[in-house]
């Protein structure tokens, strides 16, 4: 039986998915941190464990879901993800303890892992290499804008409507995403939907003054992205403790939106230019922005310090992701594997960051913990420069 779907351009298909998926997901994630901290009285260590449980659910299956989509098909995996997210978001408002949030967070991100590696591989599969950087830049802009919007909605809904409103909003958005994935399809001229026809494309020639070794750039991008996820996730789960008594839930949501605004700016700059391709200076720009963000947030005594710190942290995270996604997809042959490895390492950063922050904050001051995040970034330096 032939199924007829609405055919859309690649951008009209993938960009709305990127925006909506991260919008409703981070609406729920932020509301979850407020539930744990404000209503259930979670300690710093419990907040770190909560973030780790979310990340573990995402990290474990990512490589597998990218590879499975090569056989099962991208659409099926995306639909399964949306269905799982509907179920988790409808269940979470009825939970009454921090350990129950651990389970819900794990399951939500487990379902999310069925979406991103297949979706990114699907996008790459349908895009000519010469257009890849620009298309990825627009896609990055779409999902980052979704997170920015989701953070604002999550904080505002928690404070002004109810602690559970964000979860019902997220469930509704996930249902719309499921309908969209099942009824629409991207216009792909060269290959069919699914994984088996994912061509083994020739790798591009690197004609720069930098060493002609693809693995160097892939390693730099993946490590920077993992480090950026480490520090940003640590800040996310400790922020209710950092800003306690200074910022309301709505204001905290706004600060996270500012952080994503910095990430959007990085995506616009990196997506519209190619001057950074196969160069060394973006590594230092990324590390400098991340370090600046951590210093400002740790020493914040006014809203302006929070604003500058969040914007710098977001810009560094955006630069890191731009390097990672371009190199890991442009310089690998099997796109499902490349996207899966990238998303799995993202999960590793998201796992270790909250655990690291929670452990240190339980033994010392929470603001000193933010500064202590500079140590893991410094430890990356030998691996970033090794040939």
């Amino acid at each position: 039986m032939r199924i007829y779907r609405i055919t859309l351009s690649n951008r009209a298909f993938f960009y709305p998915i990127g925006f909506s998926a991260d919008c409703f997901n981070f609406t729920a994630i932020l509301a979850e941190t407020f539930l744990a901290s404000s209503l259930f009285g979670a300690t710093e260590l419990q907040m770190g464990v909560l973030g780790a449980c979310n990340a573990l659910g995402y990290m474990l299956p990512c490589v597998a879901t990218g590879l499975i989509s090569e056989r099962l098909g991208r659409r099926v995996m995306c639909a399964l993800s949306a269905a799982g997210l509907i179920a988790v978001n409808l269940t979470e408002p009825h939970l009454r303890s921090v350990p129950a949030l651990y389970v819900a967070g794990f399951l939500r991100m487990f379902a999310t892992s069925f979406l991103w590696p297949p979706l990114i591989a699907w996008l790459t599969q349908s895009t000519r290499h010469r257009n890849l950087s620009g298309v990825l830049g627009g896609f990055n802009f779409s999902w980052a804008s979704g997170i920015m919007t989701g953070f604002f909605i999550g904080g505002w809904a928690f404070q002004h409507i109810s602690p559970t409103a964000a979860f019902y909003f997220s469930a509704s958005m996930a249902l719309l995403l499921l309908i969209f994935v099942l009824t629409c399809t991207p216009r792909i001229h060269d290959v069919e939907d699914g994984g088996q026809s994912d061509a083994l494309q020739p790798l591009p020639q690197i004609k720069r003054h930098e060493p002609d070794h693809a693995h160097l750039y892939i390693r730099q991008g993946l490590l920077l992205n993992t480090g950026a996820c480490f520090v940003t996730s640590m800040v996310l789960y400790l922020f209710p403790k950092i800003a306690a008594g200074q910022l309301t839930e709505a204001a905290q949501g706004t600060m996270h939106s500012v952080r994503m605004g910095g990430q959007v700016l990085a995506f616009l700059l990196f997506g519209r230019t190619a001057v950074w391709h196969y160069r060394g200076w973006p590594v230092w720009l990324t590390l400098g922005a991340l370090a600046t963000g951590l210093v400002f947030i740790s020493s914040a005594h006014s809203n302006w310090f929070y604003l500058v710190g969040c914007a710098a942290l977001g810009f560094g995270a955006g630069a890191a992701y731009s390097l990672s996604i371009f190199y890991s997809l442009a310089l690998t042959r099997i796109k499902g594997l490349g996207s899966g490895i990238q998303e799995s390492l993202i999960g590793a950063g998201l796992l270790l960051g909250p655990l690291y922050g929670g452990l240190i904050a339980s033994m010392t001051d929470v603001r000193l913990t933010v500064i202590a995040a500079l140590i893991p970034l410094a430890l990356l330096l030998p691996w970033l420069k090794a040939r």
Side-chain angles (χ1 to χ4, degrees):
M1 179 180 177
R2 184 174 180 82
I3 299 175
Y4 292 93
R5 296 186 174 95
I6 301 171
T7 301
L8 303 173
S9 69
N10 288 2
R11 289 175 172 83
F13 180 79
F14 291 108
Y15 290 7
I17 295 177
F19 177 88
S20 62
D22 269 347
C23 177
F24 70 71
N25 234 7
F26 281 87
T27 295
I29 287 172
L30 187 62
E32 186 179 79
T33 67
F34 293 151
L35 274 182
S37 180
S38 301
L39 296 187
F40 300 159
T43 65
E44 287 87 352
L45 182 57
Q46 286 178 314
M47 294 297 290
V49 173
L50 176 61
C53 287
N54 274 266
L56 192 64
Y58 189 69
M59 180 185 71
L60 290 177
C62 263
V63 173
T65 59
L67 290 174
I68 290 171
S69 72
E70 299 285 330
R71 296 280 183 179
L72 193 58
R74 321 297 191 193
R75 190 189 314 279
V76 173
M77 300 294 286
C78 293
L80 288 173
S81 174
L85 290 167
I86 293 170
V88 172
N89 284 311
L90 288 176
T91 302
E92 197 156 12
H94 305 287
L95 304 180
R96 293 293 180 267
S97 68
V98 175
L101 293 181
Y102 294 164
V103 177
F106 178 90
L107 292 176
R108 178 177 50 250
M109 296 309 293
F110 187 89
T112 302
S113 73
F114 280 60
L115 175 69
W116 288 108
L119 186 70
I120 293 172
W122 198 358
L123 170 64
T124 307
Q125 176 189 22
S126 65
T127 304
R128 294 182 178 88
H129 182 269
R130 64 176 179 270
N131 300 326
L132 182 61
S133 181
V135 172
L136 288 175
F139 181 68
N140 292 342
F141 177 84
S142 69
W143 65 253
S145 299
I147 298 178
M148 182 169 60
T149 306
F151 278 143
F152 179 81
I153 293 173
W156 186 89
F158 188 94
Q159 181 176 341
H160 295 290
I161 301 178
S162 77
T164 60
F167 299 105
Y168 292 121
F169 167 81
S170 297
S172 301
M173 288 280 287
L175 176 60
L176 293 176
L177 175 61
L178 176 61
I179 295 171
F180 183 84
V181 168
L182 293 177
T183 59
C184 299
T185 194
R187 183 179 294 112
I188 304 177
H189 300 290
D190 300 325
V191 295
E192 297 295 328
D193 174 39
Q196 284 185 309
S197 56
D198 195 4
L200 300 180
Q201 301 173 7
L203 301 183
Q205 295 297 315
I206 303 173
K207 298 178 180 179
R208 297 288 183 184
H209 297 297
E210 293 291 322
D212 189 10
H213 297 297
H215 64 82
L216 169 67
Y217 302 107
I218 296 173
R219 184 177 72 243
Q220 287 180 339
L222 292 174
L223 285 176
L224 283 172
N225 199 28
T226 304
C229 290
F230 182 102
V231 298
T232 54
S233 63
M234 189 195 79
V235 169
L236 172 64
Y237 282 94
L238 290 182
F239 207 73
K241 303 296 184 182
I242 297 170
Q246 290 182 295
L247 301 174
T248 65
E249 286 86 359
Q252 289 181 51
T254 300
M255 291 301 171
H256 289 303
S257 294
V258 169
R259 174 164 64 84
M260 292 311 303
Q263 197 157 335
V264 167
L265 176 61
F267 288 156
L268 287 174
L269 294 176
F270 279 77
R272 292 177 179 273
T273 63
V275 67
W276 55 273
H277 290 181
Y278 314 112
R279 302 292 179 134
W281 59 263
V283 171
W284 303 109
L285 175 66
T286 300
L287 291 173
L290 293 172
T292 299
L294 292 172
V295 169
F296 269 82
I297 291 173
S298 68
S299 59
H301 58 267
S302 70
N303 288 354
W304 288 108
F305 272 69
Y306 282 122
L307 284 168
V308 173
C310 288
L313 197 64
F315 185 88
Y321 188 85
S322 296
L323 294 172
S324 177
I325 194 171
F326 177 75
Y327 292 138
S328 63
L329 292 179
L331 300 179
T332 56
R333 295 181 184 276
I334 303 176
K335 308 310 177 186
L337 178 62
S339 63
I341 291 174
Q342 177 191 253
E343 296 303 305
S344 184
L345 287 174
I346 287 176
L350 297 178
L351 169 70
L352 297 175
L355 277 181
Y356 177 86
L359 285 171
I360 295 181
S362 67
M363 298 181 289
T364 184
D365 181 75
V366 70
R367 290 179 179 267
L368 289 178
T369 302
V370 177
I371 283 292
L374 292 172
I375 297 173
L377 290 181
L379 293 176
L380 292 179
L381 288 174
W383 298 96
L384 289 169
K385 302 311 294 180
R387 299 300 183 185

